[in-house]
Each structure stands twice: as structure tokens, then as C-alpha cells.
Amino acid sequence: MSDGIPCVWMRGGTSKGGIFNAADLPTDESSRDQLLLEIMGSPDNKQIDGMGGSDPLTSKAGVVKKSSRPDCDIDYLFLQVFVDRAIVTDAQNCGNILAAVGPYAVEQGLVQATGNVTKVNVFMENTDQIAVLQVQTPNGKVTYQGDAQIDGVPGKSAPVTCEFRETAGSTCGALYPSGNLMDSIDGIDVTLIDNGMPVVVLAASDLEMSGSESRDELDNDTDLKRRLESIRLQAGPMMNLGDVTEKSVPKMSLVSAATKGGCISTRTFIPHRCHASIGVLGAVSVATAAITPGTVARSLANVPEQVEKTLSIEHPTGEMTVVAYMKDDQLISAALLRTARKLFEGIVFPLEK
């Protein structure tokens, strides 16, 4: 029998997956990816022979190690394990799993707790960017109990504050990689943006949608998904991403006017299934488009006048609040509140050879 691999299974934000110490995984990427496919049970729609939960949001992995960088505590690599295909990709960040690696790092001794709140500086390997997490550590120990609540997750937990700095163009090389605030693909106006996550922003109305449809309605609309994939494949090269046929980016976000007092409403595909909510960095990219004149999102958005803008990004199961810090009408950093919880710690087993 295989000796297995140490792992902590965690919920981070509205996602969950396995968090691994880099030292416990193969250094060869092909061997590592095959291992993760076996652990998750991919490719299989039910992931019945693995730990995955039959959804992109529950088929994720975070790989963590102590950082050699003087300005960071840990390095974090996010890996999306496809459910129905034998694909593992590092083409994107995940701000939800990011919220889990902070508590993980403290509990595993990679970061020393400092008082009731511990700051964890994270180097995000996927995009060479830095995030700063605030982890609750009363009496020097991580707690998952608290009064913070986020839509898409039942109950209350300890807050994990995530601040993202200098994320513009993190994957595509520029905030607006095509050089335009608005482009046209297949006759549809789109904004191609990357402020931590490559996103194609489209007005729901341009695709004959209200923007208030349920996740299931959109997932079952094969014609809509066909049209979105055509736009996505053409957007890939325009965003310096090349052929995105087998990539998880860019995400596709249909936007419409908010209906519950927020800034803007979203329905996001990640990229082929409709998200139950919206990804953390996807929300940052959409929020950035919403506050920028000339984008698809701006005319639909309700944007506060304050320099520090609190933007409620509505999604199918509620909303995600992005706090945008501005300077000279430019967004310089964004912070979000997430929560996390450790689900189990132990040994996972790949297939026996």
C-alpha cells in the first residue's frame, strides 16, 4: 500500500480543496499533476474515486512553502484540477483558497503567530504578486470561530482579511491587455481586464439575458455557453493568453444593474460552468471595470463617490464586498473579507501502481 501524502483539507471562502506542503509533493510538475488528478478522482464527473466534490469549486489544491523572499512569509501556488478532464492548471490565482493558506501556514509552523491577529505576507506564485492576510490568532493559536459571514457559506466563522496589491496585469501583462477599454467579439461589446484574474466582462442584455437567471438556468443554456466559449477562445490571444481551449482563464462574467442595492450584478462562468457566487480576484477585476469610465460595466454600475469605495458585487447566492483604495482616480489596492475552516488533517492516498 502507498504511504500516502500529508494533507489538510480546507474550505477557503466559497471553495475547498487540499492544502499541501510543497516538500511533500513531487518536484516534477507532470508527476505532481498526475498525483493530484488521482487524489481528486479526475477525470470523472462524479470524482467518485477521489476527494473532489464534482465541481470546479471543490476540486482545488494549494501548495505552500516557507518563502525565501525577504518581503514574504510563504509562497503559495494554486492549482485547479479539472473535474471531467485530465488537466491541472496553474494559469490563475484563487483568492478563496488563498484565505485558507494563511491559517494553514500558522498551524503548520511556517509562520509564527503574533498576538491576537497575525499578518501573513503571501507571494502568489501563479502571478508573481503579493497578498497580505490578517489571520485571527487569539492567545497565539488559529481560531476558526467568529462572527464573520460570507454569502455562499452557511454559518459564521473567523474573518480572514485579504488585501491585494499591484495585481493589475498579473497574468496578462496589462490591466486592459488588448489596449482598449472596450472591444467587440462576435458583435458583442466586451471589456477584457486582468486585475488579479483575467475576465471577459459582457453585458447580460447583449446576450438576451436579464442577468438575474439562476445558476442552473444558465448552466443548462447550451446556446449561451456555445456563444460564450466562442468569445472566450477569441479573447484568449487578445489577452496575451494564447490558445485557451484547455485553460481555466479567462473567466466570463455577465454583468447587469444591481437589484439588491449593490454596485453591479454578475453571473460568472469559470469558464464553462456558472459559478455559484464569484471568485475573489474575479470580483476585484469586475469591480475595477465597474469604476472605470468607458468599460462595458461602468454604465450599469452604481459607484460611490468616496475615495475609499465599498463595492458590493452581487452574484447568484448573495454578494461579495470589495473595498477599493483609490489614488488619483486609479485603484491601487483592494481588500476583501473571507472566512476559512479546517475540515480534516491527515493522509491522502493516490492510486497504487
Side-chain angles (χ1 to χ4, degrees):
M1 177 178 286
S2 167
D3 292 334
I5 298 162
C7 176
V8 179
W9 219 261
M10 297 189 72
R11 176 186 62 78
T14 53
S15 296
K16 64 182 176 180
I19 312 298
F20 300 86
N21 189 311
D24 295 323
L25 293 176
T27 55
D28 174 68
E29 289 186 10
S30 178
S31 299
R32 179 203 66 196
D33 292 352
Q34 180 58 38
L35 186 71
L36 291 174
L37 288 167
E38 293 174 10
I39 288 170
M40 289 295 181
S42 298
D44 171 35
N45 283 329
K46 293 185 177 181
Q47 293 182 317
I48 197 68
D49 200 34
M51 298 299 300
S54 306
D55 189 288
L57 301 182
T58 57
S59 187
K60 298 184 173 187
V63 183
V64 181
K65 63 184 177 185
K66 196 167 184 64
S67 184
S68 60
R69 294 171 57 99
D71 56 346
C72 289
D73 300 303
I74 59 171
D75 296 343
Y76 154 58
L77 176 69
F78 170 70
L79 296 169
Q80 178 71 59
V81 184
F82 279 47
V83 173
D84 57 349
R85 287 188 277 174
I87 296 174
V88 178
T89 177
D90 64 359
Q92 65 178 82
N93 268 324
C94 178
N96 278 306
I97 295 298
L98 170 69
V101 303
Y104 169 90
V106 177
E107 287 199 329
Q108 296 295 313
L110 297 173
V111 176
Q112 184 69 39
T114 55
N116 291 331
V117 178
T118 298
K119 182 183 292 186
V120 181
N121 296 299
V122 183
F123 178 67
M124 299 184 290
E125 292 187 51
N126 301 72
T127 53
D128 295 340
Q129 303 291 329
I130 294 174
V132 180
L133 311 182
Q134 303 272 356
V135 179
Q136 303 301 305
T137 53
N139 301 315
K141 293 185 178 180
V142 172
T143 182
Y144 298 100
Q145 295 183 334
D147 294 323
Q149 189 169 12
I150 59 174
D151 288 327
V153 177
K156 297 179 179 181
S157 306
V160 180
T161 303
C162 309
E163 182 183 355
F164 302 96
R165 300 173 179 173
E166 299 179 356
T167 53
S170 58
T171 300
C172 302
L175 181 61
Y176 297 99
S178 71
N180 304 314
L181 293 171
M182 192 182 298
D183 292 283
S184 180
I185 302 178
D186 287 350
I188 302 294
D189 288 336
V190 299
T191 290
L192 311 179
I193 186 168
D194 172 19
N195 199 7
M197 178 64 70
V199 177
V200 179
V201 181
L202 319 86
S205 60
D206 287 344
L207 289 156
E208 296 82 46
M209 297 288 151
S210 69
S212 61
E213 292 84 0
S214 71
R215 181 193 193 193
D216 287 343
E217 283 181 89
L218 295 173
D219 257 345
N220 291 326
D221 192 331
T222 55
D223 182 62
L224 171 66
K225 294 171 81 170
R226 177 190 59 77
R227 295 177 69 186
L228 287 176
E229 183 65 359
S230 174
I231 293 171
R232 194 180 80 87
L233 293 177
Q234 293 174 73
M238 296 171 67
M239 299 180 76
N240 302 319
L241 296 170
D243 182 359
V244 297
T245 303
E246 295 192 345
K247 293 182 180 179
S248 56
V249 289
K251 311 302 188 189
M252 310 294 289
S253 194
L254 306 180
V255 297
S256 57
T259 59
K260 299 175 182 177
C263 169
I264 199 164
S265 179
T266 62
R267 296 293 185 270
T268 301
F269 287 78
I270 55 171
H272 304 120
R273 295 181 68 177
C274 187
H275 203 309
S277 53
I278 187 172
V280 169
L281 289 160
V284 173
S285 287
V286 170
T288 304
I291 63 179
T292 306
T295 68
V296 169
R298 183 63 182 91
S299 62
L300 297 167
N302 176 26
V303 180
E305 296 293 331
Q306 296 88 341
V307 173
E308 182 179 310
K309 301 182 187 298
T310 300
L311 309 170
S312 174
I313 309 301
E314 298 179 2
H315 54 70
T317 53
E319 66 87 36
M320 184 180 294
T321 297
V322 177
V323 180
Y325 301 101
M326 311 293 293
K327 183 178 181 180
D328 299 328
D329 294 327
Q330 298 294 318
L331 186 147
I332 57 173
S333 72
L336 300 97
L337 184 145
R338 298 279 83 193
T339 65
R341 188 167 82 87
K342 181 165 68 173
L343 303 175
F344 80 75
E345 181 174 359
I347 304 295
V348 290
F349 294 90
L351 295 174
E352 290 189 50
K353 300 298 191 285

